[in-house]
Amino acid sequence: MFVGKIYDQKGHQAVFIPSTLFIVAAMLLLAWMPSNMILYIAAIFYRIGFGAVQPALQAWSLEHAARNRKGMANATFYSFFDLDIGFGAILFGQIGYLFWYICIYIMAAVSVGISIVAYLWILRKMN
């Protein structure tokens, strides 16, 4: 409800890192989860993080597309988004099967941390 305004005023930089940090926190809370209250807090953190970062990434990808290619850019964004969900489900399912379920959440936090590093690297290359 308010992230779109932040994105419009300050750009994706003001949205991406705080949002992904909420996701990392949610994953680490799920790995730890000593009580139902922590589960609820993790759910709120994840919803805030994902609810902000996903549309921000979509808007950022569309910003760089030519006017006549915005539909293609949107389709490509969602194709890779769906591919990532499918691949992630298989990968994290295997991690849960071979190790413990706690490892799923730790690896998810690490992968989001890697996305922060990749994002900062891309920003540096763009500037």
Side-chain angles (χ1 to χ4, degrees):
M1 293 179 356
F2 57 89
V3 175
K5 291 178 184 177
I6 294 171
Y7 183 92
D8 290 341
Q9 293 171 353
K10 298 183 180 183
H12 54 85
Q13 298 92 335
V15 175
F16 184 81
I17 292 180
S19 300
T20 53
L21 290 177
F22 268 102
I23 296 170
V24 168
M27 293 301 109
L28 293 176
L29 285 172
L30 287 172
W32 174 51
M33 198 170 50
S35 67
N36 284 345
M37 183 55 72
I38 297 299
L39 173 65
Y40 303 141
I41 292 168
I44 291 167
F45 280 12
Y46 185 78
R47 186 64 223 149
I48 290 168
F50 186 77
V53 79
Q54 194 273 339
L57 287 175
Q58 180 184 12
W60 188 34
S61 68
L62 293 176
E63 278 178 18
H64 296 285
R67 188 163 172 73
N68 65 334
R69 305 289 285 178
K70 291 203 185 283
M72 178 78 66
N74 199 41
T76 302
F77 176 84
Y78 274 109
S79 292
F80 277 93
F81 182 76
D82 290 343
L83 183 66
D84 180 50
I85 289 173
F87 178 71
I90 293 168
L91 177 66
F92 288 135
Q94 285 301 307
I95 289 170
Y97 176 75
L98 296 172
F99 303 104
W100 307 285
Y101 280 94
I102 191 172
C103 294
I104 294 171
Y105 301 112
I106 293 169
M107 289 302 299
V110 168
S111 69
V112 174
I114 291 169
S115 77
I116 294 170
V117 172
Y119 174 78
L120 293 172
W121 183 75
I122 290 168
L123 280 183
R124 189 171 179 186
K125 289 286 190 182
M126 290 177 69
N127 294 331

